[in-house]
Amino acid sequence: EEKARAKQRAKPSFSMRMRQADLGWGKMTYGLICFGTGIAVFLAVLMLLGLGMLPALGFGISGGLLLPHLYVGVRRKRRFERFTAEFPDAIEVIVRGVKSGLPVVDCLKIVASEAQEPVKGEFKTIVEDQTLAMPLEDAVQRLPERMPLSEASFFAIVIAIQSRTGGSLSEALGNLAKVLRDRKKMKGKVQAMSSEAKSS
């Protein structure tokens, strides 16, 4: 089962890619968009560049297949970046709630109602799954399938370990939040150094 989940995260299905990109497209809609994009590219190359029928047809087919795929990829990447940026704050909300004596599920509900998207929507899905009699550990384990990020995997691992062995959840999640913030700072430093190197 774990291997199947890892494979799904590595190569998500069409419907999962659309969900990760926050798009409600079905296969028919996506096909129509590809067709329309291909026609637009074909006409643009034919009429504006005047390259001839065969080159325009080649560009049209390539554009129709490639451009919608790239658009979905960009949308997914941006949504993942927003999730990564917001996620440490959500974890700290859970930490404060657990320390104050609230059950974990109630803390998740707070995040699901007050966090920014896409964290809000993902935690709402966790709460809904748990409400439908799914164990909390299993509901959280589905998060990395929807958001194939190391941050989501770390969170699922912490919840799984705590569910099986007990221990201080607030301490474990507090450490996780600190690690994620340190990772974010380090990534920012690397990007800044990279920008300086390119400028020089």
Side-chain angles (χ1 to χ4, degrees), residues 78-187:
R78 289 179 179 173
R79 189 165 181 266
F80 292 162
E81 289 173 349
R82 293 198 304 271
F83 182 91
T84 301
E86 179 70 17
F87 195 46
D89 294 334
I91 294 178
E92 290 185 350
V93 169
I94 298 173
V95 171
R96 290 195 296 270
V98 171
K99 284 184 177 180
S100 66
L102 287 175
V104 178
V105 175
D106 289 349
C107 298
L108 298 179
K109 289 179 180 178
I110 293 173
V111 175
S113 62
E114 298 182 3
Q116 299 295 319
E117 291 290 357
V119 172
K120 179 178 182 177
E122 294 301 331
F123 272 76
K124 187 177 292 185
T125 301
I126 292 174
V127 172
E128 290 172 352
D129 288 344
Q130 200 274 331
T131 304
L132 296 173
M134 180 181 291
L136 177 60
E137 178 185 347
D138 293 343
V140 174
Q141 287 295 326
R142 296 177 63 180
L143 176 62
E145 298 173 13
R146 301 189 301 269
M147 303 295 289
L149 303 168
S150 57
E151 290 82 357
S153 297
F154 293 155
F155 178 70
I157 290 170
V158 169
I159 295 295
I161 292 174
Q162 195 276 338
S163 298
R164 295 170 187 173
T165 64
S168 176
L169 179 61
S170 62
E171 181 180 353
L173 289 179
N175 292 336
L176 175 59
K178 183 178 183 303
V179 169
L180 296 184
R181 290 197 182 281
D182 289 344
R183 279 164 54 94
K184 185 178 179 181
K185 289 179 183 178
M186 182 60 67
K187 185 177 180 181

Side-chain angles (χ1 to χ4, degrees), residues 40-68:
V41 173
F42 169 76
L43 293 176
V45 172
L46 185 65
M47 299 176 68
L48 299 180
L49 301 181
L51 294 182
M53 184 69 70
L54 285 179
L57 183 61
F59 276 105
I61 294 173
S62 299
L65 294 174
L66 186 61
L67 293 179

